[in-house]
Each structure stands twice: as C-alpha cells, then as structure tokens.
Amino acid sequence: MLYWPRNNWSDGDYLMPYNLDVNFAEGFSNTAQASMNFVNPTAFKLVIDSQKYKNAQFMAQTVALPDLQVQGAVYQTRNRNIIEAPDKIEYGMFDMTFLIDEYLLNYKEIHDWIVGLVTEKDEGVRKERDMVLQILSSHNNVIAELQFVNAIPINLSSLPFDVSSTDVIYLTANVTFQFDYFKFVTKGV
C-alpha cells in the first residue's frame, strides 16, 4: 500500500504514484473484447480497512463512482482565449449509502472515524484508509477493482427516527468520502 505523507508535499512535488501509459497515436488498438457483457449495478462490494472498519463495508447499498474532470490553463489573447492541454485531474467525492445495523455499530465506526480526524494527535497516526470497490461478475467473482487511495469520511448523514411511520423501513445513512485519487487495479480481463 502506498502512503505519501502529505506534510512533505510542496506545490509541484505531488505526482500520481502509478504509471498509466495511454497511447494517443492513431492506429490499431488491441483492447477490444471478444464478448460484450454489461455491468450489473447491483453486483459490487466495498472493502474498507477490514481490521478497523469491518462493520461499515458489508452493509453498503449504493455507491456512486466519483466524477473525474480535467481543465486546461487559459492562454489569453486579444481576440479569444485558447485552452491549453489539461495538466491537473480533479476528482469528485465518493458517496455511499449503507444500512444501519440495530446496534448502530457501522454508524458508530464512521462517526468515530470522523471525530478521530479532528481529535486524535497527528503524530504518526495514519487517519486515511484505502478503500476498494470490487465489481462482481454474474457468477459473483471479482472482475475489476477500483482503489480509492487515502480516503477519509467528511460527511455522515443524520438518522431520522420516526414513530409515526406505519411500515418498518430500515434506516440507512449516507457517508461522503474525500480521497487523493482512484485507480483501476487490473483483474481478469
């Protein structure tokens, strides 16, 4: 697991710690698939540090893959602005909705993580955790993994208890994670 201490970064020092070779040259690409299956939106599993946050990961109901955006610098001329090639990547937030167990253990894990971000001493304590979103095949085998590096929760929703409800609707909570970047971990294909 890669960990880059944030306090040692200067403005130009932070580079992506993995290399993704993208060939922009025209010509033949050998990445075509022989058969095409589509992604099942219900076939996923989120793995958060299973030693410390073992209850939150198994109750995930929805996750939203964050958006990815690049912007180029604007070169201003007298008659029009010219956009240069992009040089920075910006990631959106990672959102997850999860079912709350009756003892509130998974809610408490995320709650304590957020509280620990602002109350624990920073000396040698790693507060970030890597998370892995596993995409499953129709046979429930892991076929792709997306690793979210150095994730921390930054928002945890409220829990609306309501005695006037006539049907039992189990409580869910939303949590938003901030992270440094995400990358595809090569699997089967």
Side-chain angles (χ1 to χ4, degrees):
M1 178 176 341
L2 287 173
Y3 175 62
W4 297 59
R6 294 172 187 244
N7 56 358
N8 294 336
W9 293 352
S10 65
D11 203 23
D13 287 345
Y14 182 63
L15 299 174
M16 298 298 256
Y18 66 95
N19 184 14
L20 181 63
D21 292 324
V22 179
N23 182 3
F24 286 104
E26 293 181 22
F28 179 74
S29 172
N30 60 356
T31 59
Q33 293 180 329
S35 66
M36 181 69 73
N37 292 325
F38 299 105
V39 176
N40 180 352
T42 63
F44 70 92
K45 183 168 115 177
L46 183 69
V47 179
I48 306 172
D49 182 349
S50 60
Q51 298 298 312
K52 190 163 178 78
Y53 304 107
K54 58 184 169 281
N55 294 306
Q57 67 187 8
F58 297 113
M59 305 288 185
Q61 286 208 307
T62 64
V63 296
L65 193 60
D67 51 331
L68 177 70
Q69 179 176 317
V70 294
Q71 291 182 345
V74 177
Y75 176 69
Q76 296 180 355
T77 65
R78 193 175 103 188
N79 294 326
R80 63 175 229 154
N81 293 335
I82 299 172
I83 306 298
E84 298 288 332
D87 60 351
K88 289 186 174 75
I89 299 174
E90 294 181 22
Y91 294 95
M93 299 297 167
F94 182 79
D95 295 315
M96 175 178 80
T97 302
F98 61 100
L99 276 170
I100 308 296
D101 67 278
E102 81 177 317
Y103 296 106
L104 303 176
L105 292 176
N106 53 5
Y107 189 86
K108 184 180 181 318
E109 283 179 354
I110 301 296
H111 170 273
D112 291 351
W113 189 358
I114 292 174
V115 171
L117 291 172
V118 296
T119 60
E120 288 183 10
K121 293 182 180 177
D122 288 334
E123 302 162 13
V125 176
R126 182 169 183 253
K127 298 177 180 184
E128 303 91 357
R129 294 290 186 256
D130 288 354
M131 300 187 312
V132 177
L133 178 62
Q134 297 177 331
I135 310 300
L136 307 176
S137 71
S138 57
H139 300 294
N140 285 333
N141 297 321
V142 176
I143 56 172
E145 290 183 339
L146 285 83
Q147 180 181 8
F148 296 86
V149 176
N150 293 334
I152 57 171
I154 59 169
N155 184 33
L156 181 61
S157 69
S158 62
L159 293 180
F161 289 93
D162 183 5
V163 295
S164 65
S165 180
T166 57
D167 294 331
V168 175
I169 300 173
Y170 295 105
L171 289 180
T172 60
N174 298 318
V175 61
T176 301
F177 291 93
Q178 164 182 305
F179 57 95
D180 289 347
Y181 63 93
F182 73 87
K183 64 180 179 177
F184 286 84
V185 180
T186 306
K187 281 288 182 192
V189 177

